[in-house]
Amino acid sequence: MSFVVEKDPGLIPKILTIILDECVNGVTLADPDIEGMPIVYVNKAFERMTGYAQEDIVGQNCRFLQGKDREQPARYQLAEAIKNREPIEVTLRNYKKNGDLFYNRLKLTPLFDHNGNLLYFLGVQYDVTTQIEAEEEIKELNKRLEES
C-alpha cells in the first residue's frame, strides 16, 4: 500500500515522522545530492541509541560515529554498495557521544523516484552489542573447554 501524498501533502510527512519516532530502531535519511552525503533526517530512536541530539547529527555523514576506528571491512563494503546504489546490511563498530562502543547493524537502502533517480539512502540501525558480546563470550568459553 502506498501513501497518497496528494491527499494531504502537509499531513502525510507529519504522520510519517510521528510513526518513525515511535520505532525502536534508528532511522536516518542521507542525501546523496549534497556533498559528503549528510544525514538530513534522524528519528528519536537513533538519538537514544547514539546519545547524540538531532542538532549534532543532521548535516553530518554517519561516518562520524566511527570516530578513529576507521579500519573496518564493513566500511569498504558499505562504500561499494553506495557507489553502486545497492542495498546492503553490515555491522559497524560505532561510538556513542559518551565514547562507549556499540555494534551497529546497519541496513542501508537506496530510495528511488518513479523515474529511477536516487533520492535518499534510508538507514535502519539496530544496536546488536548484546548479541556480539554474547557471541564473543561463547567463543571464549569454547576455547577454554577445548584447552582443558
PDB file of all heavy atoms in Angstrom, residues 59-71:
ATOM      1  N   GLY A  59      23.233  16.986   9.079  1.00  0.00           N
ATOM      2  CA  GLY A  59      24.301  17.724   8.399  1.00  0.00           C
ATOM      3  C   GLY A  59      25.622  16.976   8.417  1.00  0.00           C
ATOM      4  O   GLY A  59      26.566  17.366   7.729  1.00  0.00           O
ATOM      5  N   GLN A  60      25.696  15.894   9.181  1.00  0.00           N
ATOM      6  CA  GLN A  60      26.914  15.090   9.249  1.00  0.00           C
ATOM      7  C   GLN A  60      26.727  13.798   8.465  1.00  0.00           C
ATOM      8  O   GLN A  60      25.614  13.304   8.339  1.00  0.00           O
ATOM      9  CB  GLN A  60      27.224  14.715  10.702  1.00  0.00           C
ATOM     10  CG  GLN A  60      27.506  15.893  11.574  1.00  0.00           C
ATOM     11  CD  GLN A  60      28.742  15.635  12.399  1.00  0.00           C
ATOM     12  OE1 GLN A  60      29.706  15.068  11.922  1.00  0.00           O
ATOM     13  NE2 GLN A  60      28.702  16.049  13.647  1.00  0.00           N
ATOM     14  N   ASN A  61      27.828  13.227   8.007  1.00  0.00           N
ATOM     15  CA  ASN A  61      27.800  11.893   7.440  1.00  0.00           C
ATOM     16  C   ASN A  61      27.876  10.916   8.608  1.00  0.00           C
ATOM     17  O   ASN A  61      28.528  11.198   9.614  1.00  0.00           O
ATOM     18  CB  ASN A  61      28.986  11.701   6.492  1.00  0.00           C
ATOM     19  CG  ASN A  61      28.969  10.354   5.835  1.00  0.00           C
ATOM     20  OD1 ASN A  61      29.233   9.340   6.469  1.00  0.00           O
ATOM     21  ND2 ASN A  61      28.665  10.338   4.548  1.00  0.00           N
ATOM     22  N   CYS A  62      27.229   9.774   8.488  1.00  0.00           N
ATOM     23  CA  CYS A  62      27.212   8.774   9.574  1.00  0.00           C
ATOM     24  C   CYS A  62      28.613   8.299   9.977  1.00  0.00           C
ATOM     25  O   CYS A  62      28.777   7.711  11.034  1.00  0.00           O
ATOM     26  CB  CYS A  62      26.369   7.566   9.172  1.00  0.00           C
ATOM     27  SG  CYS A  62      24.695   7.622   9.820  1.00  0.00           S
ATOM     28  N   ARG A  63      29.595   8.551   9.143  1.00  0.00           N
ATOM     29  CA  ARG A  63      30.970   8.138   9.476  1.00  0.00           C
ATOM     30  C   ARG A  63      31.446   8.718  10.801  1.00  0.00           C
ATOM     31  O   ARG A  63      32.326   8.156  11.435  1.00  0.00           O
ATOM     32  CB  ARG A  63      31.931   8.550   8.368  1.00  0.00           C
ATOM     33  CG  ARG A  63      31.817   7.736   7.102  1.00  0.00           C
ATOM     34  CD  ARG A  63      32.915   8.118   6.115  1.00  0.00           C
ATOM     35  NE  ARG A  63      32.841   9.508   5.721  1.00  0.00           N
ATOM     36  CZ  ARG A  63      32.259   9.950   4.619  1.00  0.00           C
ATOM     37  NH1 ARG A  63      31.692   9.104   3.793  1.00  0.00           N
ATOM     38  NH2 ARG A  63      32.235  11.228   4.329  1.00  0.00           N
ATOM     39  N   PHE A  64      30.875   9.829  11.223  1.00  0.00           N
ATOM     40  CA  PHE A  64      31.332  10.447  12.469  1.00  0.00           C
ATOM     41  C   PHE A  64      31.173   9.490  13.643  1.00  0.00           C
ATOM     42  O   PHE A  64      31.893   9.589  14.631  1.00  0.00           O
ATOM     43  CB  PHE A  64      30.631  11.789  12.727  1.00  0.00           C
ATOM     44  CG  PHE A  64      29.279  11.703  13.386  1.00  0.00           C
ATOM     45  CD1 PHE A  64      29.164  11.830  14.761  1.00  0.00           C
ATOM     46  CD2 PHE A  64      28.125  11.523  12.643  1.00  0.00           C
ATOM     47  CE1 PHE A  64      27.916  11.764  15.384  1.00  0.00           C
ATOM     48  CE2 PHE A  64      26.889  11.456  13.246  1.00  0.00           C
ATOM     49  CZ  PHE A  64      26.780  11.570  14.621  1.00  0.00           C
ATOM     50  N   LEU A  65      30.247   8.526  13.535  1.00  0.00           N
ATOM     51  CA  LEU A  65      30.028   7.571  14.626  1.00  0.00           C
ATOM     52  C   LEU A  65      31.181   6.581  14.778  1.00  0.00           C
ATOM     53  O   LEU A  65      31.318   5.941  15.818  1.00  0.00           O
ATOM     54  CB  LEU A  65      28.727   6.793  14.410  1.00  0.00           C
ATOM     55  CG  LEU A  65      27.446   7.597  14.552  1.00  0.00           C
ATOM     56  CD1 LEU A  65      26.249   6.766  14.120  1.00  0.00           C
ATOM     57  CD2 LEU A  65      27.270   8.081  15.986  1.00  0.00           C
ATOM     58  N   GLN A  66      32.014   6.451  13.761  1.00  0.00           N
ATOM     59  CA  GLN A  66      33.137   5.523  13.840  1.00  0.00           C
ATOM     60  C   GLN A  66      34.360   6.144  14.499  1.00  0.00           C
ATOM     61  O   GLN A  66      35.302   5.421  14.839  1.00  0.00           O
ATOM     62  CB  GLN A  66      33.486   5.013  12.442  1.00  0.00           C
ATOM     63  CG  GLN A  66      32.396   4.151  11.875  1.00  0.00           C
ATOM     64  CD  GLN A  66      32.250   4.294  10.382  1.00  0.00           C
ATOM     65  OE1 GLN A  66      33.144   4.755   9.688  1.00  0.00           O
ATOM     66  NE2 GLN A  66      31.088   3.908   9.882  1.00  0.00           N
ATOM     67  N   GLY A  67      34.330   7.436  14.698  1.00  0.00           N
ATOM     68  CA  GLY A  67      35.466   8.090  15.326  1.00  0.00           C
ATOM     69  C   GLY A  67      36.748   7.775  14.577  1.00  0.00           C
ATOM     70  O   GLY A  67      36.815   7.873  13.357  1.00  0.00           O
ATOM     71  N   LYS A  68      37.773   7.334  15.310  1.00  0.00           N
ATOM     72  CA  LYS A  68      39.066   6.988  14.702  1.00  0.00           C
ATOM     73  C   LYS A  68      39.139   5.520  14.309  1.00  0.00           C
ATOM     74  O   LYS A  68      40.135   5.074  13.768  1.00  0.00           O
ATOM     75  CB  LYS A  68      40.193   7.333  15.671  1.00  0.00           C
ATOM     76  CG  LYS A  68      40.296   8.816  15.924  1.00  0.00           C
ATOM     77  CD  LYS A  68      41.400   9.138  16.900  1.00  0.00           C
ATOM     78  CE  LYS A  68      41.407  10.640  17.162  1.00  0.00           C
ATOM     79  NZ  LYS A  68      42.401  11.013  18.150  1.00  0.00           N
ATOM     80  N   ASP A  69      38.083   4.772  14.577  1.00  0.00           N
ATOM     81  CA  ASP A  69      38.033   3.335  14.296  1.00  0.00           C
ATOM     82  C   ASP A  69      37.625   3.120  12.836  1.00  0.00           C
ATOM     83  O   ASP A  69      36.552   2.607  12.532  1.00  0.00           O
ATOM     84  CB  ASP A  69      37.037   2.670  15.254  1.00  0.00           C
ATOM     85  CG  ASP A  69      37.103   1.158  15.239  1.00  0.00           C
ATOM     86  OD1 ASP A  69      37.898   0.592  14.458  1.00  0.00           O
ATOM     87  OD2 ASP A  69      36.350   0.544  16.010  1.00  0.00           O
ATOM     88  N   ARG A  70      38.511   3.509  11.922  1.00  0.00           N
ATOM     89  CA  ARG A  70      38.163   3.552  10.500  1.00  0.00           C
ATOM     90  C   ARG A  70      38.459   2.249   9.745  1.00  0.00           C
ATOM     91  O   ARG A  70      37.903   2.005   8.701  1.00  0.00           O
ATOM     92  CB  ARG A  70      38.918   4.687   9.815  1.00  0.00           C
ATOM     93  CG  ARG A  70      38.829   6.031  10.542  1.00  0.00           C
ATOM     94  CD  ARG A  70      37.477   6.612  10.598  1.00  0.00           C
ATOM     95  NE  ARG A  70      37.186   7.260   9.348  1.00  0.00           N
ATOM     96  CZ  ARG A  70      35.998   7.700   9.003  1.00  0.00           C
ATOM     97  NH1 ARG A  70      35.000   7.559   9.822  1.00  0.00           N
ATOM     98  NH2 ARG A  70      35.806   8.267   7.858  1.00  0.00           N
ATOM     99  N   GLU A  71      39.369   1.435  10.239  1.00  0.00           N
ATOM    100  CA  GLU A  71      39.761   0.221   9.518  1.00  0.00           C
ATOM    101  C   GLU A  71      38.790  -0.915   9.821  1.00  0.00           C
ATOM    102  O   GLU A  71      39.068  -1.786  10.632  1.00  0.00           O
ATOM    103  CB  GLU A  71      41.206  -0.170   9.862  1.00  0.00           C
ATOM    104  CG  GLU A  71      42.228   0.796   9.337  1.00  0.00           C
ATOM    105  CD  GLU A  71      42.156   0.983   7.818  1.00  0.00           C
ATOM    106  OE1 GLU A  71      42.038  -0.024   7.085  1.00  0.00           O
ATOM    107  OE2 GLU A  71      42.195   2.144   7.375  1.00  0.00           O
TER     108      GLU A  71
END
